[in-house]
């Protein structure tokens, strides 16, 4: 191999060789759909356990608090890929899910373990979002509610959480964006999301760079406008706050 | 006060109340004893950091005492077995920073607790709230959100929110300290009205004029303990405690 051969693939033309599109375009379209469905459902599933984890973490009971703390530490301190494998092969090695396609391209035998793994991971991060959102509400609100005779749960659900939502929603939307990117890891389990589509096209056509470039463009075109939209909404909400 | 007539009923009796932080390193309250009789207005004064807010907030257990007891209408609130929520309903609390619920309208702020605690039906609560708002001259603000009100209006509504629970005592934690000077008057006027109507009140305040005029008794605190208590005239005109003399010399 000559030196020039080493850089053969670096030719700019290879980055934009989208000649595979007419034949393999559906891999990308279904891939995007798969990615979006996977991410949104994973975060949606994560919301309830995350709220529980956050409330547990804010609890005065030391045991309850440390159970939640341990969960969050565990999921935030190990790689998502490792969690994915342990849950896929460990947990779902015992619970067999029959192969069944929904929408024609989502095989639940792979989708369910994947979405559960992502949700369990996301719950740890969303829990911290909830916790921060709750703590951002002035303690005087809780004190006012409690001094009216409302119990802790009523104060939380009637007074604190409705105000915390404003802090929580933008961060939650950002978590979905993170998930859109992170879920590419599910490719390793054969879940047919966007990255899997790109890899399959690359393997089939021997066009090695452009499919990934296209995948990057698609990820960018989803996430960048979405994060800008969230910023704009956040700004507007802050303006509404001003007295 | 042992000299009080027996017909005057003791409502709150604080005994040997101590509150420490950091495993006893900081003593926020040091062996405080205080009696509050029905219909009385007790003003608590003292320099900042003297523990007056802590003492007030202990009365409805927003601060948990380290030791001692708080007997409210015969029940020791410091006892962990007591359901504090049932007693807090009967004690209204007004904060320095109002703490109205910003996501609720004025009316919802007032009716929330009575309705959720099933003390009043929504209709009754609505009626009570409107009557109270009329009393303070703000019925047209019923559907406004707190952000659209002035500080004085917010605090008067916070008082009304507490009154809607029909409390037996009202606790005020520096109710005028966060207000612009021109709004202090309207809040003090309302408090004066309440006192005249016979409401039992405990008021932490820097408004010496108010303490002198409205209070039946003034309590001076310093370094977490009650240094002197007396009728306003006696306390302000003939202070005995050296720290109180020093304090009065500075502010009057």
């Amino acid at each position: 191999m000559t030196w020039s051969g080493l850089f053969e693939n670096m030719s700019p033309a290879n980055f934009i060789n989208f000649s595979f599109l007419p034949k393999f375009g559906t891999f990308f379209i279904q891939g995007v759909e798969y990615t979006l469905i996977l991410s949104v459902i994973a975060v949606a599933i994560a919301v309830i356990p995350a709220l529980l984890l956050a409330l547990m973490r804010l609890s005065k009971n030391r045991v309850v608090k440390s159970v939640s703390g341990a969960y969050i530490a565990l999921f935030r301190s190990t790689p998502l890929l490792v969690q994915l494998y342990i849950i896929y092969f460990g947990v779902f090695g015992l619970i067999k899910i029959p192969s069944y396609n929904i929408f024609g391209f989502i095989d639940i035998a792979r989708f369910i373990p994947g979405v559960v793994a992502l949700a369990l991971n996301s719950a740890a991060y969303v829990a911290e979002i909830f916790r921060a959102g709750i703590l951002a509400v002035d303690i005087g609100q809780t004190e006012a509610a409690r001094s009216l005779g409302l119990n802790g749960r009523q104060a939380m659900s009637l007074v604190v959480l409705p105000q915390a939502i404003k802090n929580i929603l933008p961060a939650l939307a950002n978590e979905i964006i993170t998930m859109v990117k992170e879920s590419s890891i599910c490719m390793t389990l054969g879940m047919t999301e966007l990255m899997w589509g790109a890899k399959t096209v690359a393997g089939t056509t021997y066009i090695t760079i452009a499919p990934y470039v296209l995948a990057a463009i698609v990820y960018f075109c989803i996430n960048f406008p979405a994060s800008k939209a969230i910023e704009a909404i956040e700004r507007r909400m802050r303006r509404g706050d001003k007295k | 006060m042992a000299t009080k007539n027996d017909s005057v009923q003791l409502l709150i009796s604080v005994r040997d109340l101590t509150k420490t932080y950091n495993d006893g390193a900081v003593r926020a309250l040091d062996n405080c004893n205080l009696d509050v009789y029905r219909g009385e207005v007790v003003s608590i004064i003292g320099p900042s950091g003297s523990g007056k807010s802590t003492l007030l907030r202990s009365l409805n257990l927003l601060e948990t005492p380290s030791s001692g007891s708080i007997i409210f209408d015969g029940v020791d609130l410091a006892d962990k077995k007591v359901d504090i929520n049932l007693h807090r309903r009967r004690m209204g609390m007004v904060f320095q920073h109002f703490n109205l619920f910003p996501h609720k309208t004025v009316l919802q702020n007032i009716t929330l607790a009575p309705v959720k605690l099933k003390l009043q039906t929504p209709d009754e609560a609505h009626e009570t709230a409107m009557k109270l708002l009329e009393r303070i001259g703000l019925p047209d603000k019923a559907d406004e959100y707190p952000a659209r009100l002035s500080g004085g209006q917010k605090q008067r509504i916070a008082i009304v929110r507490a009154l809607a629970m029909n409390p037996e005592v009202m606790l005020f934690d520096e109710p005028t300290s966060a207000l612009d000077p021109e709004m202090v008057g309207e809040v003090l006027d309302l408090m004066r009205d309440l006192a005249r109507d016979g409401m039992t009140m405990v008021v932490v305040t820097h408004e010496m004029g108010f303490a002198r005029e409205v209070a039946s008794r003034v309590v001076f605190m310093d370094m977490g303990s009650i240094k002197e208590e007396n009728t306003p005239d006696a306390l302000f005109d003939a202070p005995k405690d050296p720290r109180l003399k020093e304090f009065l010399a500075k502010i009057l």
Side-chain angles (χ1 to χ4, degrees):
Chain A
M1 196 198 277
T2 62
W3 279 109
S4 63
L6 195 58
F7 294 103
E8 203 172 15
N9 278 340
M10 294 291 282
S11 156
N14 287 328
F15 283 82
I16 50 165
N17 177 11
F18 296 137
S19 58
F20 55 83
L21 265 181
K23 209 168 163 192
F24 294 100
T26 49
F27 278 80
F28 287 89
I29 294 165
Q30 291 186 345
V32 173
E33 288 170 4
Y34 196 116
T35 290
L36 289 177
I37 291 168
L38 180 61
S39 312
V40 171
I41 292 181
V43 176
I45 294 175
V47 164
I48 297 298
L51 179 58
L52 280 178
L53 285 166
L55 293 176
M56 285 167 71
R57 197 118 150 80
L58 293 168
S59 153
K60 281 196 194 104
N61 184 320
R62 239 175 237 182
V63 178
V64 168
K65 197 174 180 165
S66 50
V67 166
S68 164
Y71 180 97
I72 292 169
L74 202 65
F75 275 89
R76 297 217 305 177
S77 309
T78 55
L80 176 56
L81 185 61
V82 175
Q83 297 163 16
L84 194 65
Y85 275 38
I86 291 174
I87 290 161
Y88 186 80
F89 294 110
V91 179
F92 287 93
L94 306 172
I95 313 163
K96 280 275 174 259
I97 294 171
S99 195
Y100 177 78
N101 276 337
I102 43 174
F103 306 130
F105 63 94
I106 296 179
D107 179 0
I108 61 163
R110 292 177 195 278
F111 182 81
I112 290 176
V115 89
V116 167
L118 291 184
L120 289 176
N121 173 277
S122 191
Y125 289 91
V126 177
E128 292 293 88
I129 292 173
F130 277 124
R131 191 171 76 102
I134 289 167
L135 288 178
V137 176
D138 185 60
I139 184 73
Q141 291 292 309
T142 308
E143 290 182 349
R146 295 303 305 271
S147 65
L148 285 164
L150 297 172
N151 64 33
R153 189 180 296 185
Q154 290 167 326
M156 182 55 76
S157 65
L158 299 170
V159 173
V160 178
L161 278 181
Q163 296 180 61
I165 289 290
K166 238 202 290 195
N167 314 325
I168 289 169
L169 279 183
L172 202 58
N174 279 319
E175 173 65 15
I176 294 178
I177 291 179
T178 305
M179 199 46 79
V180 165
K181 293 182 287 178
E182 294 285 301
S183 64
S184 60
I185 222 166
C186 293
M187 164 192 86
T188 57
L189 295 178
M191 297 170 74
T192 58
E193 43 71 68
L194 180 55
M195 189 58 193
W196 180 90
K199 187 182 177 242
T200 305
V201 170
T204 312
T205 60
Y206 299 108
I207 301 170
T208 44
I209 302 171
Y212 298 122
V213 171
L214 182 59
I217 292 170
V218 175
Y219 279 120
F220 184 85
C221 290
I222 295 169
N223 290 338
F224 182 71
S227 63
K228 283 290 159 200
I230 294 164
E231 271 175 38
I233 292 166
E234 259 188 303
R235 262 201 306 277
R236 179 169 304 178
M237 277 172 35
R238 262 204 300 277
R239 209 175 314 147
D241 262 356
K242 288 207 181 109
K243 309 263 151 92
Chain B
M1 296 176 94
T3 53
K4 284 257 172 180
N5 188 320
D6 275 349
S7 65
V8 182
Q9 216 186 335
L10 188 61
L11 184 59
I12 303 174
S13 173
V14 175
R15 284 293 165 266
D16 303 326
L17 190 67
T18 296
K19 165 91 182 169
T20 57
Y21 294 105
N22 302 342
D23 293 323
V26 183
R27 286 176 99 76
L29 292 179
D30 195 358
N31 260 308
C32 292
N33 289 283
L34 179 71
D35 288 334
V36 180
Y37 292 83
R38 284 191 195 272
E40 229 190 350
V41 177
V42 176
S43 261
I44 306 178
I45 62 169
S48 34
S50 58
K52 50 194 192 308
S53 280
T54 311
L55 175 60
L56 184 84
R57 288 160 53 85
S58 299
L59 298 182
N60 70 351
L61 242 64
L62 282 185
E63 302 284 348
T64 349
S66 306
S67 66
S69 54
I70 301 146
I71 317 288
F72 172 61
D73 203 15
V75 180
D76 184 3
L77 302 184
D79 183 345
K80 294 225 161 40
K81 278 170 277 179
V82 168
D83 181 0
I84 187 63
N85 298 318
L86 294 177
H87 299 285
R88 280 182 176 150
R89 293 173 184 183
R90 301 162 60 201
M91 313 169 99
M93 177 111 187
V94 176
F95 300 86
Q96 182 179 356
H97 295 286
F98 331 129
N99 296 345
L100 290 178
F101 307 135
H103 62 300
K104 304 254 180 221
T105 64
V106 166
L107 194 63
Q108 290 166 341
N109 262 278
I110 302 170
T111 58
L112 177 77
V115 172
K116 289 292 170 186
L117 297 173
K118 302 198 167 61
L119 303 175
Q120 297 167 20
T121 67
D123 286 344
E124 284 165 4
H126 186 279
E127 201 182 316
T128 315
M130 287 315 295
K131 264 188 207 149
L132 287 165
L133 284 174
E134 265 155 40
R135 174 174 173 181
I136 60 168
L138 296 174
D140 53 321
K141 301 289 184 195
D143 296 320
E144 291 278 17
Y145 284 89
R148 296 180 57 91
L149 305 172
S150 74
Q153 291 171 335
K154 279 185 202 170
Q155 192 61 301
R156 286 188 289 148
I157 284 160
I159 293 172
V160 157
R161 176 174 71 177
L163 289 176
M165 297 289 290
N166 277 318
E168 286 161 54
V169 57
M170 288 283 287
L171 312 175
F172 294 85
D173 190 1
E174 301 194 22
T176 57
S177 298
L179 294 174
D180 290 337
E182 74 267 28
M183 291 170 184
V184 171
E186 60 190 81
V187 172
L188 292 182
D189 283 346
L190 175 56
M191 290 169 63
R192 209 171 277 132
D193 272 2
L194 286 180
R196 205 171 297 139
D197 289 355
M199 175 61 78
T200 312
M201 293 161 63
V202 183
V203 187
V204 169
T205 187
H206 291 297
E207 296 290 334
M208 296 304 145
F210 177 83
R212 182 162 203 151
E213 177 203 332
V214 181
S216 26
R217 196 145 49 90
V218 181
V219 172
F220 172 71
M221 284 188 76
D222 187 42
M223 312 271 288
S225 57
I226 294 174
K227 294 277 195 265
E228 187 164 339
E229 61 173 291
N230 216 328
T231 59
D233 287 342
L235 186 126
F236 286 114
D237 296 336
K240 292 181 208 72
D241 180 77
R243 281 290 292 133
L244 173 59
K245 284 181 191 166
E246 202 181 308
F247 176 70
L248 291 176
K250 268 185 203 149
I251 55 161
L252 291 180

